[in-house]
Amino acid sequence: MKLTDLQNYQSIMIQCHDNPDADAIASGFALYTYFTSLGKTVQLVYAGRNQIHKSNLLLMVEKLQIPIIYIGDIKGYSQQEPSGKTPGLLITVDCQYGAGNVTCLPAEDVAIIDHHQVEITDVEKREINPHLGSCSTLVWNMLREVGYKIEDSRLGTALYYGLYTDTNQFAEIYNPLDMDMREAVPCEKTLITLFRNSNLSLQEMEIAGVAMIRYIYNDDYRYAIIKAQPCDPNILGLISDLLIQVAEVDSCVVYNDLRDGYKFSVRSCIKEVQANELAAFLADGVGSGGGHREKAGGFISMTLYENAYPTLHSEAFFSQRLNNYFDYCQIIYADEYEVDLSDMKTYVKKQVPFAYVEATDILPVGTMITIRTLEGDVDMTVEPDLIIMIGIKGEVYPNRRDKFEKSYIITDEPYCKDKMHAHCNTLYEPTIHNRENGEVMQLADYAKVCIATGGTHIHAKELTGRVKVFTAWDKEKYMLGKEGDYLAVRCDDKHDIYVVERDIFYKTYDAADVTEEL
């Protein structure tokens, strides 16, 4: 759904979820500003039993002049038609019409804009992206797609703060679009400081203190779990930041029970557990999670959880998932691992097209850059022999000229993603950020086609469980292999061990024939 699909309505009501947080208020404010600029009659509202009372939210509404209205008892709401339905279009933002966390206002027509897991499927007009850290990011991107430029610092500050709070002060940010929005919007940082320093109440300070003495600890895997009382999500981050400092704790999960699900925060201080990967594992099938290697978080939908685990209480769920995470995963340190080739077959690399960018074609030697991809940010410096490769799914990785020229046939043909890989659906087009002046460039604009020479032989086998591989070239960050992916090792280097995703494997390798294997 695009915002242009909603422009035929003259009367538009934007509804935040009950007990709205900063993200709901900000994303609602952005939609309010956009539709008002088109001359529409717009209202920004919320309902439920309670009015906004948190100090940081009251300050946000006041300082940014956000025209949000509490409609309270919807039966007496004067703007309803005699039919009892809200006229025009009702847009629920940061929530889904008909879900448990938003009062259901009868409406003539409904649209949904949200970043949580899909719960409602019978509303035709909807834009839901659970991969984003905030609804503010989703609305910002929708505004960008229709060419609406955010120049008002009030609106920019609201969106920035919405993302800030929903990702635990950016500690749990993991989608590149979230990072792009954070850098793109005009923001008054002094107001962010004011809001941040009004975020913790005396009651929430007590919640954090009580939570620290009520923990579950696993001595075998050195993890801890804490269930906190209902509180602002940022308090979970505060508790987990304290908990990970305990000498006996290598990783931890802190969560609380919300009306519509479980919000959780994850921390890790060992390289064998990346917090973002653990958060995704915990939420698999019932929610979403991600973040950084040391700090991450996520949300579990109550609807999905109760359907999957109708009799399992939350403490048992988190304990069970954590035990499964540690029990059923092999860790391989490639530089010292002696690979068993007896159950591996030999494959040969296909002559398939890739894309490449010569870094010096974009920026001068010595420029510090960040390559932003869906898998994360990669910091590097432009060097004379630096080649940036773009794989068949849009994945990005660095290469050196001597190795590149041995493995690929170089062409000057411009890269065209749609022509080369029409079967791929890249969720984010990689960008290059000049860290010295903030300039942002699309990597694909500078890319050309190269063809793998083929002939490279590997041993490989399909994985039947999870594997973490610390490669010989990166001993601090592991490659994660899941069931169905392939564990591979080069025939000419038994310590060059790595993981290839299943769909990429079949597009880049063929089984070697008997004579090749011999």
Side-chain angles (χ1 to χ4, degrees):
M1 182 184 73
K2 308 293 184 184
L3 289 178
T4 49
D5 298 332
L6 308 179
Q7 291 177 189
N8 293 330
Y9 298 88
Q10 181 57 37
S11 178
I12 298 175
M13 177 181 288
I14 302 161
Q15 183 186 7
C16 303
H17 54 73
D18 300 352
N19 300 308
D21 56 11
D23 186 36
I25 295 170
S27 46
F29 181 38
L31 292 171
Y32 174 92
T33 303
Y34 171 70
F35 286 115
T36 300
S37 74
L38 299 179
K40 309 296 183 181
T41 302
V42 190
Q43 286 187 307
L44 175 60
V45 306
Y46 71 101
R49 291 178 295 177
N50 303 310
Q51 289 185 255
I52 296 170
H53 66 277
K54 282 182 63 65
S55 299
N56 62 321
L57 299 181
L58 292 172
L59 280 170
M60 177 187 182
V61 170
E62 175 193 350
K63 297 295 184 182
L64 302 180
Q65 302 173 37
I66 299 175
I68 189 168
I69 301 170
Y70 175 60
I71 60 177
D73 180 8
I74 62 170
K75 293 180 181 178
Y77 184 52
S78 60
Q79 296 298 314
Q80 289 182 325
E81 293 283 282
S83 65
K85 293 184 177 181
T86 300
L89 176 67
L90 173 69
I91 305 174
T92 60
V93 64
D94 199 32
C95 57
Q96 297 171 40
Y97 186 81
N101 66 335
V102 57
T103 298
C104 189
L105 302 180
E108 292 178 356
D109 207 353
V110 174
I112 294 172
I113 298 177
D114 190 24
H115 74 117
H116 296 99
Q117 288 291 316
V118 176
E119 294 186 55
I120 305 300
T121 58
D122 58 354
V123 174
E124 181 180 353
K125 299 181 182 69
R126 63 179 187 270
E127 183 67 21
I128 303 174
N129 188 339
H131 303 290
L132 297 175
S134 73
C135 193
S136 295
T137 302
L138 176 58
V139 172
W140 167 79
N141 195 48
M142 295 178 76
L143 291 173
R144 186 175 63 162
E145 288 176 343
V146 297
Y148 184 85
K149 187 174 182 180
I150 297 174
E151 297 176 333
D152 184 351
S153 64
R154 294 183 306 131
L155 177 54
T157 301
L159 293 171
Y160 185 99
Y161 190 58
L163 175 63
Y164 180 87
T165 55
D166 249 33
T167 58
N168 187 24
Q169 303 180 15
F170 301 140
E172 297 165 8
I173 194 171
Y174 56 96
N175 191 290
L177 274 177
D178 293 319
M179 301 175 197
D180 288 348
M181 193 272 279
R182 176 181 61 182
E183 296 167 4
V185 294
C187 176
E188 297 183 40
K189 297 296 177 64
T190 54
L191 287 179
I192 298 298
T193 301
L194 175 65
F195 301 158
R196 182 188 67 216
N197 291 333
S198 303
N199 190 45
L200 184 63
S201 67
L202 288 172
Q203 181 184 10
E204 287 169 331
M205 182 176 67
E206 182 178 344
I207 288 172
V210 170
M212 289 295 293
I213 60 175
R214 298 176 179 174
Y215 61 86
I216 299 171
Y217 180 70
N218 184 293
D219 188 56
D220 292 331
Y221 297 127
R222 293 171 59 88
Y223 71 71
I225 303 172
I226 284 180
K227 180 180 181 181
Q229 298 175 40
C231 60
D232 188 277
N234 290 317
I235 308 306
L236 300 182
L238 173 67
I239 299 169
S240 55
D241 284 339
L242 290 171
L243 183 56
I244 198 61
Q245 297 182 56
V246 176
E248 291 81 6
V249 175
D250 289 340
S251 56
C252 64
V253 177
V254 180
Y255 75 99
N256 66 359
D257 187 350
L258 304 177
R259 182 177 177 183
D260 55 342
Y262 299 109
K263 177 72 176 176
F264 64 90
S265 182
V266 178
R267 298 291 183 268
S268 173
C269 63
I270 56 173
K271 68 178 184 179
E272 287 79 8
V273 177
Q274 293 176 9
N276 55 332
E277 185 252 327
L278 175 55
F281 182 89
L282 292 172
D284 185 33
V286 290
S288 60
H292 299 291
R293 283 194 286 170
E294 295 182 5
K295 296 184 177 185
F299 180 79
I300 292 173
S301 162
M302 186 63 74
T303 300
L304 297 177
Y305 178 84
E306 290 180 343
N307 287 338
Y309 306 99
T311 62
L312 191 66
H313 60 80
S314 58
E315 290 95 334
F317 167 79
F318 280 103
S319 294
Q320 186 180 99
R321 284 250 163 150
L322 279 163
N323 287 335
N324 288 341
Y325 177 84
F326 289 103
D327 281 341
Y328 303 109
C329 186
Q330 180 186 10
I331 299 178
I332 294 175
Y333 302 92
D335 59 345
E336 60 188 47
Y337 185 73
E338 295 299 326
V339 63
D340 180 7
L341 302 179
S342 62
D343 60 347
M344 304 181 86
K345 296 180 180 179
T346 306
Y347 296 85
V348 61
K349 196 165 190 177
K350 298 179 182 180
Q351 285 189 296
V352 293
F354 289 82
Y356 75 98
V357 175
E358 296 192 55
T360 52
D361 285 349
I362 305 178
L363 292 165
V365 171
T367 306
M368 293 184 294
I369 61 174
T370 295
I371 302 176
R372 177 158 296 163
T373 74
L374 191 61
E375 291 76 28
D377 283 3
V378 180
D379 294 334
M380 59 183 66
T381 300
V382 175
E383 298 177 5
D385 64 340
L386 177 61
I387 305 294
I388 302 168
M389 304 294 299
I390 304 176
I392 63 175
K393 287 186 66 178
E395 70 276 15
V396 174
Y397 51 93
N399 206 336
R400 295 296 176 185
R401 184 176 298 278
D402 57 347
K403 186 177 179 180
F404 171 68
E405 292 178 346
K406 292 176 183 177
S407 304
Y408 296 92
I409 301 169
I410 303 169
T411 80
D412 287 325
E413 179 185 349
Y415 166 70
C416 176
K417 170 183 173 288
D418 293 334
K419 179 180 177 182
M420 290 174 61
H421 309 301
H423 53 279
C424 294
N425 182 22
T426 303
L427 297 175
Y428 180 82
E429 297 294 342
T431 54
I432 282 190
H433 296 240
N434 184 334
R435 301 210 308 271
E436 297 176 5
N437 62 16
E439 184 181 7
V440 180
M441 295 153 283
Q442 293 290 325
L443 193 62
D445 291 345
Y446 301 86
K448 299 176 183 178
V449 176
C450 60
I451 309 294
T453 56
T456 301
H457 285 68
I458 64 167
H459 301 291
K461 67 175 180 180
E462 184 175 347
L463 293 172
T464 57
R466 296 170 64 250
V467 171
K468 299 176 183 180
V469 178
F470 289 91
T471 63
W473 61 86
D474 190 347
K475 300 178 182 179
E476 294 300 318
K477 183 180 179 182
Y478 55 78
M479 298 180 72
L480 178 67
K482 300 178 181 178
E483 183 177 351
D485 293 339
Y486 277 77
L487 182 68
V489 54
R490 284 180 66 104
C491 290
D492 58 357
D493 184 355
K494 298 302 188 291
H495 292 290
D496 191 351
I497 306 170
Y498 51 96
V499 172
V500 184
E501 291 183 26
R502 182 180 183 86
D503 56 347
I504 294 179
F505 185 84
Y506 285 112
K507 292 167 185 171
T508 53
Y509 290 97
D510 276 326
D513 61 34
V514 176
T515 57
E516 287 181 302
E517 291 194 48
L518 294 175

